[in-house]
Amino acid sequence: MNKRNFINYDVFWDKLSTFAIKAGRVTTRPVLLLFFVMKSKDTPKADKLLVFSALSYLVFPIDILDAKRLPIIGWFDEIASISVAYQKVCKHITPEMETKVDDILDRWFPEYTPYELIAD
C-alpha cells in the first residue's frame, strides 16, 4: 500500500517563515518546535492532526477573531490554539528538534543576543 503525503511541507514552511518574520524569534520558537513534532515519524497521528490544525489556523488567512479588526483580541485565538497544541505535544520534543530550531532561528534572526541574568 502506497502512503500519500497530504501535507505539502514546502508550502507550509513558506507560510511559517513569513509568519516568523512578523512574529519575532521568541514567538516563533514554539511554532517551529510544533512543526518538527508534526513532521516526526514518532508522533502519533492524533497529535499530528492537532498540531497541523493549530499551525494552519495560525498561518492561513482564516480567523474567528480578526486581528485587523480587533488588534489585541484578534491574536488571542491564535495564541490559545498554539498554547493548547504545545502543551499537548511537548512530550514529543527531542533535544535534536530543539537544536534544529535554534539553528534556524539563529539564521533568521542573526541580530538576536541572549541576555544573562547577573547574580550578585
Side-chain angles (χ1 to χ4, degrees):
M1 186 143 91
N2 193 3
K3 272 190 169 181
R4 291 178 42 179
N5 191 1
F6 292 102
I7 300 171
N8 184 335
Y9 286 112
D10 293 333
V11 171
F12 210 73
W13 185 255
D14 287 342
K15 296 282 187 183
L16 281 178
S17 59
T18 301
F19 163 80
I21 292 166
K22 294 177 187 175
R25 183 184 178 108
V26 173
T27 304
T28 301
R29 190 170 197 283
V31 172
L32 288 178
L33 286 168
L34 286 173
F35 178 78
F36 286 109
V37 166
M38 181 178 66
K39 283 189 68 177
S40 173
K41 63 180 175 26
D42 298 327
T43 304
K45 288 184 182 190
D47 288 346
K48 286 184 180 197
L49 181 59
L50 172 69
V51 171
F52 177 74
S53 300
L55 292 178
S56 294
Y57 187 67
L58 180 70
V59 299
F60 292 113
I62 299 169
D63 267 333
I64 292 173
L65 300 173
D66 188 12
K68 291 178 184 168
R69 295 172 71 193
L70 304 165
I72 304 287
I73 299 170
W75 281 98
F76 285 143
D77 53 341
E78 282 95 348
I79 292 168
S81 67
I82 293 298
S83 296
V84 168
Y86 187 83
Q87 289 175 358
K88 171 81 170 121
V89 302
C90 67
K91 61 186 172 263
H92 301 297
I93 296 172
T94 64
E96 292 80 17
M97 288 178 190
E98 290 182 336
T99 300
K100 189 181 282 190
V101 166
D102 288 338
D103 290 344
I104 291 167
L105 290 172
D106 288 344
R107 283 195 316 269
W108 286 357
F109 302 98
E111 72 283 349
Y112 175 75
T113 304
Y115 294 97
E116 296 179 16
L117 294 176
I118 301 173
D120 291 328

